[in-house]
């Protein structure tokens, strides 16, 4: 089975969290990095949601005794808090103030108490964020049942993610530099600020991406924030323009692929393969169910 390495650029609200959970459980993709951007809510809440999500996944793996599909944990990188030029807009009217339906504010769920410090990169030898696995023991009379013996508290530590001192845009570029050309795909499910910044800093390296799959735009359907605009593009229209323009000259043919490889091998910029997944009327929420066919 072919495994696709990916970078997820996200503003985790309710929809993105569900998609990331699905991808973390999939054996068909290897998440190299998760880069965070402004979008559905303020970046403070975005960071908390991402840390909580990754801890929930590790607790799930510990509970079902399921090993990580890959030894390498995803890197969690904090990206842009602001659009390139425009003012912030948020989708709190849909996702809630915290981005997850106000689960924290309503007391329905609690984030790790030290989540803010966990995301701060400390040193190269201690960059994997961990939390202790705690369990309880059930006894019947003076004896433990067979199941409870396996539930004894231990010193085992599970890992949630890797930290980095690089911001979101630089982490995207770093991951692409470390991999062979045209092997890592970028899944962009939020405003495109981080990707636009990566392009502005180093367009040659960004063109090493196999493709950039973008959840954004409204092509043949009304927008969802204005009659014409879809939220992710409206949240940073300048970034959307930069990223989409990077595909100019792309040829979806075997010859075009060979030309891209030749240009990258010679250290030159190449048109980027952009896959746009826009709003489509009643089918606008089919994006995640259809995502796998593009990988």
């Amino acid at each position: 089975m072919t495994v696709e390495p990916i970078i997820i650029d996200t503003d985790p609200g309710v929809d993105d969290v569900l998609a990331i959970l699905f991808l973390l459980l999939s054996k068909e993709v290897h998440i190299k990095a998760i880069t965070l951007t402004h979008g559905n809510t303020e970046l403070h809440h975005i960071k908390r949601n991402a840390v909580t999500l990754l801890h929930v996944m590790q607790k799930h793996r510990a509970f079902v005794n399921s090993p990580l599909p890959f030894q390498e944990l995803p890197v969690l990188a904090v990206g842009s808090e602001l659009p390139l030029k425009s003012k912030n807009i948020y989708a709190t009217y849909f996702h809630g103030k915290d981005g997850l339906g106000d689960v924290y504010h309503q007391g329905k769920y609690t984030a790790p108490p030290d989540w803010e410090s966990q995301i701060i990169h400390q040193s190269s030898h201690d960059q994997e964020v961990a939390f202790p696995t705690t369990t309880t023991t059930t006894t019947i009379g003076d004896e433990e049942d067979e199941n409870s013996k396996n539930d004894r508290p231990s010193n085992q530590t599970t890992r949630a993610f890797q930290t980095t001192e690089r911001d979101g845009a630089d982490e995207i570029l770093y991951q692409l530099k470390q991999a062979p050309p045209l092997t890592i795909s970028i899944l962009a499910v939020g405003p495109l600020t981080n990707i636009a910044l990566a392009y502005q800093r180093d367009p040659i390296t960004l063109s090493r991406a196999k493709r950039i799959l973008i959840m954004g735009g409204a092509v043949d359907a009304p927008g969802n924030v204005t009659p014409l605009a879809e939220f992710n593009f409206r949240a940073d229209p300048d970034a959307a323009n930069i990223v989409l323009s990077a595909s100019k000259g792309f040829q979806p043919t075997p010859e075009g692929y060979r030309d891209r490889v030749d240009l990258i091998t010679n250290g030159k910029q190449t048109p980027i393969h952009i896959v746009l997944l826009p709003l489509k009327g009643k089918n606008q929420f089919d994006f995640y169910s259809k995502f796998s066919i593009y990988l």
Side-chain angles (χ1 to χ4, degrees):
M1 179 178 63
T2 302
V3 177
E4 179 95 3
I6 64 172
I7 298 169
I8 303 176
D9 189 63
T10 177
D11 56 339
V14 176
D15 52 350
D16 289 13
V17 164
L18 291 174
I20 295 170
L21 283 172
F22 171 79
L23 293 170
L24 285 168
L25 290 169
S26 174
K27 295 181 180 180
E28 298 180 10
V29 297
H30 180 191
I31 302 175
K32 304 290 289 184
I34 298 174
T35 54
L36 305 178
T37 179
H38 67 92
N40 287 323
T41 185
E42 297 175 2
L43 193 63
H44 170 81
H45 300 301
I46 294 294
K47 292 188 290 184
R48 177 173 58 179
N49 293 347
V51 173
T52 302
L53 163 65
L54 292 169
H55 276 293
V56 166
M57 178 53 62
Q58 287 302 335
K59 289 181 179 180
H60 165 76
R61 294 193 185 282
F63 180 77
V64 300
N65 194 26
S66 173
L68 288 167
F70 306 98
Q71 290 185 345
E72 183 186 39
L73 292 166
V75 176
L76 187 60
V78 179
S80 181
E81 188 174 9
L82 301 169
L84 294 181
K85 297 179 181 179
S86 57
K87 295 182 179 180
N88 280 106
I89 65 169
Y90 302 117
T92 52
Y93 56 87
F94 183 85
H95 293 275
K97 184 177 180 180
D98 62 12
L100 292 179
D102 293 325
V103 293
Y104 306 110
H105 296 286
Q106 296 179 14
K108 296 179 180 178
Y109 198 85
T110 303
D114 59 342
W115 71 266
E116 289 185 274
S117 62
Q118 287 185 16
I119 207 169
I120 299 173
H121 183 73
Q122 296 181 0
S123 63
S124 59
H125 68 273
D126 188 29
Q127 62 177 340
E128 291 184 340
V129 177
F131 68 95
T133 302
T134 58
T135 55
T136 57
T137 301
T138 303
T139 60
I140 301 177
D142 294 328
E143 297 180 355
E144 295 179 353
D145 63 22
E146 193 64 26
N147 291 330
S148 66
K149 291 180 181 179
N150 298 325
D151 289 339
R152 290 172 177 167
S154 69
N155 293 325
Q156 180 185 5
T157 299
T158 54
R159 302 290 180 173
F161 56 89
Q162 297 183 71
T163 61
T164 178
E165 58 187 0
R166 294 178 289 273
D167 68 5
D170 280 349
E171 185 61 34
I172 291 171
L173 295 172
Y174 174 80
Q175 293 291 339
L176 292 174
K177 285 180 180 178
Q178 300 305 305
L182 308 183
T183 56
I184 294 182
S185 292
I186 300 173
L187 173 60
V189 291
L192 297 174
T193 311
N194 289 335
I195 300 174
L197 287 171
Y199 181 82
Q200 290 178 329
R201 294 174 188 177
D202 190 346
I204 294 176
T205 296
L206 188 65
S207 67
R208 293 170 64 92
K210 180 178 179 180
R211 55 197 150 189
I212 303 177
L213 299 101
I214 299 173
M215 184 180 74
V219 177
D220 56 359
N224 57 5
V225 289
T226 75
L228 298 177
E230 177 272 338
F231 177 82
N232 285 339
F233 279 19
R234 176 64 183 83
D236 196 340
D238 300 287
N241 181 56
I242 289 171
V243 176
L244 293 181
S245 297
S247 67
K248 185 177 181 179
F250 173 77
Q251 297 293 328
T253 62
E255 293 78 11
Y257 178 84
R258 287 195 293 269
D259 289 343
R260 292 179 71 200
V261 173
D262 290 341
L263 287 169
I264 293 172
T265 302
N266 292 312
K268 297 180 180 180
Q269 183 179 347
T270 179
I272 298 175
H273 183 185
I274 301 290
V275 178
L276 185 63
L277 304 171
L279 291 178
K280 286 193 174 182
K282 294 181 180 179
N283 297 322
Q284 61 180 283
F285 298 110
D286 289 348
F287 168 74
Y288 296 118
S289 63
K290 294 179 179 178
F291 166 67
S292 60
I293 69 174
Y294 293 97
L295 292 179

